Amino acid sequence: QAMQAVLEAGEQVLILVPEIGLTPQTRARFASRFAAHIVLLHSGMNNTHRLQGWQDCRTGHAQIIIGTRSAVLYPFANLGLIVVDEAHDGSYKQQDTLRYHAADVALYRGLQANIPVVLGTATPSLEHLRLVDDGKLIEYQLQTRPGNAKTASMQLIDARQQSTHQQTADDGARYDTGLTDALIGAIRQTLEAGDQVLIFLNRRGYAPVLLCEACGWQADCPRCDAHLTVHYNSRSQSNSYPNSSYLKCHHCDWQAYIPTVCPDCGSQNLDAKGIGTTRLSENLHAIFANPQTSKELYPIIQIDRDTTRRKDSWEHIYQRINEGKPAILVGTQMVAKGHHFPNVTLVCLPNADRGFLSADFRSPEHTAQLMIQVAGRAGRGDKSGRVLIQTLQPDNALLLKLVKDGYLSFARELLQERKMMGLPPHSYAALIRCEGKTLAATTQALKDAVGILPNAHNLAVLGPIDAPMSNKNSHYHAQLLLLGKDRQQLHRVLHHWWQPVLALPSAKYLKLTLDIDPVGW
């Protein structure tokens, strides 16, 4: 409705979405509502189409512009409204090269052009809630879901009290599916009712680590401080995926063959530990798509970066889901962001503990946002939905707060904790990263940088310390964090300090980068 008045006035509307996968359905939604020229802008397009989109924005030919974060930097002839969908999403932060947050840039462009900016989200970030408290943003709450949709009910399943479902493989061995019997029963009940199930597992691949059970050897990336992820698919050893078994690092893209014996001790007892989306899909296929175990055969649709890599693959998956037939969708965070699956009535989260146990202070916020966003995929049509959260910590105070009182109450409690600890958004951060061929050189450069800080800077200086992943792609990373209670003071210090830091003799041949308002450290 807000767009209608803007378009009638001959002005342009920019709509930002966090993922390329959201652009087709967003375009279809607005094309059915408005008789306007719609332009898509994202990195998946070729240079010719992107140049044409740039020209259409600049000349005013484009009326509705739908794009990912970089679209906020385009030139516009007559911009009248900016809408940032899923405004809390971390994808809006550009992490390398030109560092910026698209939601912040949208707010600034709105201020420059004196036009409204709408930050749409069911799970606002703590930074945006702080801006509401400071009177810099106006909060509007939608009290009801669109149409006849009702808010899905959330229920915890105590994985300590129930054994996980055991399945028999073709060779007679028993293996753990990672899902409790209660969860399997709920899935079967939903499918038999003619509805669809969404299972959220934010870990792609077959398994997160390959382990030797004889000597404890693990398949590690030779270029990163990370395990190699096992990629294996017994159901796709066909023409379409001839090389579907391999080890891969998800940080530097290093790939290797899966060894047949342990490189250290020669044992053949190599076991893929843990569950990724591919392994979970295979487990579910054995239960629900095998004629020997199921009367009805239900399709298992895997949705992650591995299955959506090809052009138009998202559109084909989306079309298959919207046929409305009973099916199980297994997906990573790609399925959590704004997708409309009207026939999904059950959402399952089999691994809800990890995010609340992370060392990253932002992890509880991001985990809760992801859980609520995934839960929002249930019951979007005429039928009511429910969400089952399988957990090993059903008495976790934060998890209980989220389930019982909802996200806003949960976020307000986190905001109060951040205030007590002096962490963002109640303070302002600058993160200096240093990259080089040795950890000693990067650490020394940051120590020298601390040494030339102004005496009366009044900032909290944390570091230098190793980065969370100190070795990545054969380069070593250290970091230095500056925290200040006043943003202007922090920026004054940086303004006079940063150029001398880059000129330090110890910084020669190293890569130093400055990140304002870092998403994580």
Side-chain angles (χ1 to χ4, degrees):
Q1 291 299 95
M3 288 173 61
Q4 180 73 38
V6 174
L7 293 172
E8 287 176 353
E11 297 176 328
Q12 298 168 298
V13 178
L14 171 64
I15 300 158
L16 296 179
V17 293
E19 297 281 352
I20 294 175
L22 287 170
T23 53
Q25 71 164 33
T26 306
R27 176 174 186 158
R29 188 176 299 168
F30 288 115
S32 66
R33 174 70 172 79
F34 299 107
H37 180 57
I38 301 176
V39 170
L40 295 182
L41 298 173
H42 57 74
S43 60
M45 305 168 65
N46 60 41
N47 289 339
T48 302
H49 289 153
R50 293 174 76 179
L51 175 60
Q52 186 61 52
W54 189 89
Q55 294 282 20
D56 288 347
C57 292
R58 187 178 62 86
T59 60
H61 181 60
Q63 295 171 283
I64 299 176
I65 301 96
I66 302 170
T68 48
R69 63 183 175 227
S70 61
V72 77
L73 303 174
Y74 275 57
F76 299 98
N78 191 18
L79 194 59
L81 173 67
I82 302 176
V83 179
V84 185
D85 192 27
E86 309 291 0
H88 66 278
D89 198 282
S91 300
Y92 285 122
K93 177 67 187 269
Q94 174 77 26
Q95 298 280 24
D96 51 19
T97 319
L98 176 65
R99 288 168 177 79
Y100 67 96
H101 198 296
D104 292 343
V105 177
L107 289 172
Y108 187 68
R109 291 201 72 166
L111 179 67
Q112 285 182 312
N114 195 27
I115 60 173
V117 179
V118 179
L119 305 179
T121 173
T123 53
S125 69
L126 299 194
E127 283 75 14
H128 291 158
L129 287 176
R130 173 72 192 277
L131 291 176
V132 169
D133 293 342
D134 292 345
K136 296 179 180 179
L137 290 179
I138 301 171
E139 182 182 31
Y140 292 100
Q141 287 192 22
L142 299 179
Q143 301 298 335
T144 57
R145 297 182 79 181
N148 298 323
K150 297 178 181 178
T151 302
S153 61
M154 301 181 75
Q155 177 185 343
L156 296 179
I157 294 180
D158 188 349
R160 302 171 307 177
Q161 304 296 327
Q162 295 196 31
S163 59
T164 51
H165 188 84
Q166 300 288 316
Q167 187 69 26
T168 304
D170 294 337
D171 58 3
R174 302 280 289 176
Y175 64 89
D176 194 342
T177 63
L179 306 176
T180 60
D181 290 333
L183 213 55
I184 294 290
I187 293 170
R188 189 177 299 280
Q189 183 183 8
T190 304
L191 294 172
E192 290 174 350
D195 299 328
Q196 294 175 340
V197 178
L198 170 61
I199 302 178
F200 173 75
L201 183 64
N202 205 20
R203 181 184 277 163
R204 68 187 178 101
Y206 184 80
V209 64
L210 183 68
L211 177 73
C212 174
E213 294 186 332
C215 72
W217 170 87
Q218 298 178 59
D220 292 331
C221 176
R223 303 193 298 193
C224 302
D225 289 335
H227 299 310
L228 292 172
T229 300
V230 182
H231 285 260
Y232 170 76
N233 195 331
S234 63
R235 293 190 293 119
S236 61
Q237 305 287 337
S238 58
N239 297 330
S240 56
Y241 298 95
N243 300 312
S244 58
S245 298
Y246 54 93
L247 298 170
K248 183 175 182 178
C249 176
H250 288 174
H251 301 281
C252 71
D253 288 335
W254 170 277
Q255 285 192 202
Y257 290 110
I258 298 177
T260 54
V261 297
C262 174
D264 280 3
C265 70
S267 170
Q268 295 183 354
N269 293 332
L270 295 177
D271 191 14
K273 295 292 185 181
I275 293 181
T277 48
T278 303
R279 189 174 202 170
L280 179 58
S281 296
E282 289 194 4
N283 291 348
L284 291 166
H285 186 275
I287 301 170
F288 295 103
N290 186 340
Q292 297 178 345
T293 57
S294 181
K295 296 179 182 178
E296 293 287 333
L297 305 184
Y298 301 103
I300 315 296
I301 304 174
Q302 184 178 330
I303 309 168
D304 55 29
R305 198 183 303 172
D306 296 324
T307 60
T308 59
R309 188 178 293 118
R310 297 182 179 181
K311 186 178 180 181
D312 299 329
S313 55
W314 235 126
E315 287 83 348
H316 293 314
I317 289 174
Y318 211 80
Q319 184 179 5
R320 188 180 174 194
I321 293 170
N322 285 334
E323 289 176 357
K325 298 177 181 178
I328 300 176
L329 321 181
V330 178
T332 59
Q333 61 183 9
M334 291 179 65
V335 300
K337 303 173 182 179
H339 294 290
H340 180 61
F341 304 133
N343 296 300
V344 170
T345 59
L346 176 64
V347 166
C348 302
L349 293 91
N351 190 0
D353 296 315
R354 292 174 61 217
F356 291 108
L357 303 174
S358 171
D360 182 4
F361 77 95
R362 294 186 191 270
S363 188
E365 175 193 359
H366 295 161
T367 300
Q369 288 170 338
L370 205 49
M371 289 174 65
I372 296 297
Q373 292 292 327
V374 175
R377 302 313 107 206
R380 297 176 69 89
D382 296 330
K383 300 177 182 178
S384 59
R386 60 177 177 151
V387 181
L388 299 180
I389 303 170
Q390 181 177 299
T391 173
L392 289 168
Q393 286 194 326
D395 50 358
N396 184 299
L398 284 174
L399 182 58
L400 289 172
K401 181 78 174 175
L402 180 66
V403 171
K404 291 181 178 179
D405 299 333
Y407 177 79
L408 283 179
S409 179
F410 169 91
R412 288 292 175 188
E413 186 169 303
L414 278 187
L415 202 56
Q416 191 62 32
E417 284 185 11
R418 298 270 187 94
K419 185 176 182 179
M420 293 166 54
M421 298 171 67
L423 291 171
H426 289 284
S427 62
Y428 304 96
L431 186 67
I432 295 87
R433 296 184 179 93
C434 188
E435 176 185 332
K437 292 185 177 180
T438 67
L439 193 58
T442 58
T443 303
Q444 185 59 49
L446 293 180
K447 285 181 179 178
D448 294 344
V450 173
I452 62 171
L453 271 170
N455 292 328
H457 55 71
N458 199 27
L459 300 174
V461 181
L462 306 177
I465 59 172
D466 298 354
M469 183 174 290
S470 60
N471 182 17
K472 184 177 180 181
N473 203 8
S474 298
H475 286 75
Y476 290 89
H477 302 256
Q479 61 187 36
L480 175 69
L481 180 69
L482 303 181
L483 278 176
K485 293 185 177 180
D486 181 81
R487 184 184 287 278
Q488 290 185 346
Q489 183 195 27
L490 173 64
H491 283 239
R492 277 195 300 269
V493 171
L494 293 174
H495 179 72
H496 295 290
W497 174 71
W498 183 239
Q499 288 303 322
V501 167
L502 296 178
L504 284 168
S506 57
K508 198 173 183 180
Y509 307 119
L510 301 179
K511 182 180 179 181
L512 280 160
T513 57
L514 175 63
D515 190 0
I516 305 296
D517 297 332
V519 173
W521 59 73

